Amino acid sequence: MVRYSLLRTVLDPLLAVSGPGGLARLEFLPRAWEYHTRAHAVSRELYGSETPVREDEKHFAALRDQLAEYFIGKRANFEIDLDLHGSDFQIRVWTQLLRIPYGKLRTYGQIARALRKPKATRAVGQAAGHNPLPILVPCHRVVGKGGSLVGFAGGITTKARLLRLEGHTLGKSTRIEEPRLF
């Protein structure tokens, strides 16, 4: 059974789609009225056309609560079962992204080196760009060389908002700086 729901958040509405293994997709959905159609398309893409699909708000209560806590600064880690679908390399990148602590930043190059593929910076960027679970798999914590804000499924403004929420400052540029005490 595939379940889905539209989650209204302080950011854009989010479409949540869950399969038998856990949450499989969390998408920014600026045109919220499309969520039924989009949920069915995601279900066919991930699980085939024979899998039953239904809207189920109650199924996503824990996700909704944890996102609400995150957005008010009371949650740093999520406790939701994830069902990642992608190539082996994409899943390796997304797993590495899950290791970035709340409030910390990494560059695409650092992620590539952590995967022992130091020349795969662009491939890491592409995998992060195809992250099916933004916020939970924190691709917003990945910045370009020198701290530049680059790419995010929800847009650069949303990425900046998420980073500010986690304590980062933007200053007068599109560069991120980690908070400093002195």
Side-chain angles (χ1 to χ4, degrees):
M1 169 69 66
V2 174
R3 294 178 171 87
Y4 70 94
S5 184
L6 183 68
L7 309 176
R8 289 166 180 82
T9 71
V10 295
L11 302 174
D12 284 335
L14 297 170
L15 170 65
V17 179
S18 183
L23 186 66
R25 192 67 60 90
L26 190 65
E27 290 185 4
F28 291 96
L29 204 61
R31 294 184 303 271
W33 64 87
E34 295 178 338
Y35 81 101
H36 295 290
T37 305
R38 184 67 192 134
H40 285 268
V42 168
S43 175
R44 283 190 306 276
E45 174 190 331
L46 298 178
Y47 303 104
S49 60
E50 300 300 316
T51 306
V53 182
R54 79 165 198 225
E55 186 172 11
D56 186 352
E57 287 185 32
K58 291 179 183 177
H59 180 77
F60 296 97
L63 174 62
R64 188 178 309 104
D65 292 348
Q66 289 182 35
L67 283 168
E69 290 170 356
Y70 171 79
F71 288 129
I72 63 170
K74 291 189 175 184
R75 176 171 289 276
N77 299 300
F78 294 93
E79 298 168 5
I80 301 291
D81 291 333
L82 306 180
D83 185 14
L84 296 171
H85 293 260
S87 70
D88 289 341
F89 182 76
Q90 287 174 322
I91 291 173
R92 287 181 59 214
V93 170
W94 301 333
T95 301
Q96 194 66 37
L97 297 179
L98 286 166
R99 294 184 179 130
I100 303 173
Y102 179 92
K104 298 295 180 186
L105 300 175
R106 299 291 183 271
T107 65
Y108 294 100
Q110 288 173 315
I111 299 295
R113 286 189 296 279
L115 294 170
R116 298 182 185 191
K117 301 257 184 207
K119 296 184 186 227
T121 302
R122 285 183 188 239
V124 166
Q126 288 178 339
H130 288 94
N131 173 11
L133 296 164
I135 303 171
L136 278 71
V137 176
C139 57
H140 62 278
R141 296 178 189 154
V142 183
V143 295
K145 189 175 184 179
S148 59
L149 278 183
V150 291
F152 185 66
I156 295 297
T157 302
T158 300
K159 182 173 187 165
R161 288 178 70 188
L162 291 169
L163 291 173
R164 281 189 191 107
L165 175 80
E166 294 187 14
H168 296 281
T169 58
L170 289 170
K172 294 180 182 178
S173 70
T174 56
R175 290 173 37 88
I176 291 292
E177 299 173 15
E178 293 201 35
R180 297 179 191 171
L181 295 176
F182 304 99

